[in-house]
Amino acid sequence: MTTATPPAPSLTAVFVRLKLALLKNGLKQSGGRTAAYIISVVFAAVFAAVTLLGFVLMRGSVNAPTVTVLLAGILALAWTVMPLFVPSGDETLDPSRLVMLPLRPRPLVRALLVASLVGIGPAFTLCVSVGAAVALAHGAAGTLFAVLAVPLVVLVCVALSRSVAAANVRLLTSRKGRDLAVLSGLVIAVGMQLVNFGAQRLSQAGGLSAVEPAAEVVGWLPPASAISAVDAAGRGDYAVAAVKLLITAAALVGLVHWWQRSLVRLMVEPDGSTIGAASDSGAKDKASSGRLGRILPGGRTGAVMERSLRYIWRDPKTKAAWVTSLAIGAIVPVFNALQGTGSIYFACFASGMLGIQMYNQFGQDTSAFWMVAQTIATKADAYAELRARALALLAITVPYTVLVTAVTAAMLDSWHKLPEALGVALALLGAMMATGAVASATFPYSIPQDSAYKNVAPGQGGLAWMSIFGGMVSAAVLCAPVIGLTLFLHFEDHEDLLWLLLPVGALYGALIAWAGVKLAAPRVSKRLPEILAAVSKG
């Protein structure tokens, strides 16, 4: 007698259980991760509840269609870029883990789509979609379209995120993908500045009427078109409502198809980014080194400068710090100038932010600093090392400071103040170089490489605070003579002499930077074992 073979479990159910198991086991790894997840749930729930309540109160308002449609568009944009900046936040975002399993693409996509609905993001999107539908649904037709629109919005957002992740999975799991993850904080900071600027512009323009044309355009783009369809149905424009709802449904079908094709390509095609890499990498490095070698000076100075510049380009944390400093150094003066509240002296933010990169120079090398330490035997070696590192930074910071100051002067139409502002900025940059060199020798600390979000090894937080903030205060004190001269010339009405601040500030900055490097060199050679132990910790 043969026994009947039990039916195979549903692939969708298996993937849902897998997603729950990954979530559960991930929370068991550490108490910090559990606390972070709980805090995220609380914040998401509170924000979703407030948003839902706001939509309910907005029901019947003339601005409800504009707000809901634009918010749906922003939500879809967030789902699009989320996998690019947080690729490690969800292990199921990487379908390459499934390439060895005997799974067909269509059932796999269906299972992954359903499993993707488990999480904080989909729940938050569902709450926002429900609130938007409640704000716009009027009458039986509006309610019917709302019932269809809400799940479509959630499915399109999730499918969009998964499609982008599947199409770029090899990028996301590479070093460049990790670079994007490290830079996510910068994108959030810039986005907050843009939101703040947009809110101020709206208040000056007299309300939401200024963005109604944008809302009309976004209302034809999925998934916001589904939310707009609810409003059209409530107004009795059934043909437009049907077309907009069909646009979102067609987008869902297209995204699922794109997702499926990406999975098939991922499972059957080799990674083209590694083909020929061995033969090409040597030639590329040689060509790149040749180009830098022709620009940089010879000897130890050129070699150290090239190493520092390569760290800036290749090391994810160093690159993130530089990009953040470059962005904030430009955002502060430019956005203040756009808002009409700026001053050309805000360009000094560029000098200050970039000057911070001189701090903890040896900690940026991490444990590889022992190779550099082998080449430092005397005070002269230490001086040559620090001087070359400072020159590498100045090769970027000086042109950038000049550019930001000139752009700020152009936006404020304050060209007559350019020499004095640039002189103060260059003096500040020199002071930051000086204090950064001394702080690097006096308060070195390690930068962990096992986490993208830790910049100080455990137990060294006090060293980092003393190094950076103590150095910044010292830099402000060192820059006092140039600032005092600027104030004196203004108070005494010597406007015709203000142009002298440019050569004075540049010369003072160069001299104070040289003095700082000269002062730090003996400390480096004397404290080399201690520095090596500090930067290798953790």
Side-chain angles (χ1 to χ4, degrees):
M1 182 178 179
T2 59
T3 58
T5 304
S10 169
L11 184 63
T12 301
V14 170
F15 269 75
V16 171
R17 289 198 299 270
L18 175 63
K19 179 66 177 288
L20 294 173
L22 287 172
L23 179 61
K24 180 180 178 181
N25 293 334
L27 295 178
K28 289 181 178 179
Q29 290 181 2
S30 66
R33 186 167 182 174
T34 303
Y37 184 80
I38 294 175
I39 292 173
S40 300
V41 170
V42 172
F43 271 97
V46 171
F47 191 67
V50 171
T51 305
L52 184 59
L53 178 61
F55 279 140
V56 172
L57 296 176
M58 192 180 290
R59 179 178 173 83
S61 171
V62 293
N63 294 323
T66 301
V67 174
T68 53
V69 168
L70 289 178
L71 187 59
I74 294 173
L75 198 61
L77 180 62
W79 275 97
T80 304
V81 301
M82 182 177 62
L84 298 178
F85 293 114
V86 198
S88 59
D90 185 353
E91 290 84 351
T92 61
L93 276 175
D94 185 5
S96 61
R97 300 170 183 262
L98 310 172
V99 294
M100 301 302 294
L101 300 178
L103 302 174
R104 294 185 178 275
R106 184 170 297 178
L108 177 61
V109 168
R110 183 170 59 249
L112 285 174
L113 180 60
V114 175
S116 301
L117 298 175
V118 178
I120 301 175
F124 175 77
T125 305
L126 177 62
C127 291
V128 174
S129 303
V130 170
V134 169
L136 298 178
H138 297 284
T143 303
L144 175 62
F145 272 81
V147 171
L148 298 175
V150 169
L152 273 178
V153 170
V154 178
L155 289 174
V156 167
C157 287
V158 173
L160 181 60
S161 175
R162 292 293 171 156
S163 301
V164 172
N168 298 278
V169 65
R170 282 167 178 159
L171 167 67
L172 300 178
T173 54
S174 66
R175 181 175 61 85
K176 292 182 178 179
R178 291 192 293 272
D179 291 353
L180 288 173
V182 173
L183 295 175
S184 58
L186 170 63
V187 175
I188 294 173
V190 175
M192 291 176 64
Q193 289 290 335
L194 291 174
V195 170
N196 179 44
F197 179 69
Q200 291 188 2
R201 285 290 181 178
L202 283 178
S203 61
Q204 295 173 3
L208 294 172
S209 58
V211 295
E212 286 182 359
E216 292 179 2
V217 175
V218 176
W220 288 95
L221 302 176
S225 58
I227 299 298
S228 183
V230 178
D231 178 57
R235 291 185 284 104
D237 201 346
Y238 304 123
V240 173
V243 171
K244 290 186 174 182
L245 197 65
L246 287 175
I247 289 175
T248 303
L252 177 61
V253 174
L255 288 171
V256 171
H257 181 67
W258 179 31
W259 186 6
Q260 181 176 324
R261 290 192 60 182
S262 299
L263 288 177
V264 172
R265 185 167 59 252
L266 180 68
M267 293 182 176
V268 301
E269 294 181 5
D271 187 355
S273 64
T274 60
I275 298 176
S279 60
D280 294 341
S281 60
K284 290 181 179 178
D285 288 344
K286 185 176 181 181
S288 176
S289 179
R291 288 192 294 270
L292 278 176
R294 287 192 294 268
I295 300 173
L296 301 176
R300 177 172 186 149
T301 299
V304 175
M305 289 181 67
E306 181 176 352
R307 183 184 70 224
S308 299
L309 294 173
R310 287 186 180 276
Y311 274 170
I312 294 172
W313 180 252
R314 291 183 174 180
D315 181 64
K317 285 199 170 184
T318 306
K319 182 189 295 186
W322 270 92
V323 173
T324 302
S325 297
L326 290 169
I328 296 178
I331 286 174
V332 172
V334 168
F335 272 71
N336 278 279
L338 287 173
Q339 294 171 8
T341 59
S343 167
I344 192 171
Y345 287 102
F346 280 149
C348 292
F349 270 93
S351 301
M353 292 302 301
L354 295 178
I356 292 177
Q357 303 309 315
M358 186 63 187
Y359 291 77
N360 196 34
Q361 275 293 303
F362 307 125
Q364 297 175 18
D365 296 350
T366 63
S367 58
F369 177 67
W370 74 269
M371 300 181 65
V372 177
Q374 304 304 313
T375 68
I376 301 177
T378 63
K379 297 178 182 178
D381 294 335
Y383 173 73
E385 178 74 23
L386 282 172
R387 182 187 61 183
R389 289 175 182 247
L391 289 174
L393 268 63
L394 290 172
I396 301 174
T397 56
V398 171
Y400 189 77
T401 299
V402 174
L403 176 63
V404 171
T405 309
V407 170
T408 306
M411 296 181 66
L412 296 173
D413 195 19
S414 300
W415 289 106
H416 61 287
K417 294 184 178 180
L418 176 61
E420 56 184 277
L422 186 55
V424 174
L426 292 177
L428 176 61
L429 182 60
M432 295 288 287
M433 291 290 147
T435 56
V438 175
S440 297
T442 309
F443 304 112
Y445 57 91
S446 177
I447 301 178
Q449 299 297 305
D450 58 347
S451 173
Y453 305 101
K454 292 181 180 179
N455 292 314
V456 182
Q460 293 186 330
L463 286 174
W465 279 88
M466 286 188 291
S467 174
I468 297 177
F469 288 97
M472 292 173 65
V473 172
S474 301
V477 173
L478 290 175
C479 202
V482 177
I483 298 175
L485 178 59
T486 305
L487 295 175
F488 172 78
L489 293 177
H490 275 285
F491 289 152
E492 296 298 326
D493 294 329
H494 294 304
E495 302 290 337
D496 55 329
L497 298 179
L498 286 172
W499 66 270
L500 290 173
L501 288 171
L502 177 55
V504 169
L507 180 61
Y508 181 83
L511 289 175
I512 202 68
W514 170 81
V517 171
K518 199 73 174 177
L519 178 64
R523 299 189 182 187
V524 172
S525 60
K526 183 179 180 180
R527 303 184 66 247
L528 197 58
E530 300 174 33
I531 295 174
L532 182 59
V535 301
S536 302
K537 184 179 180 180

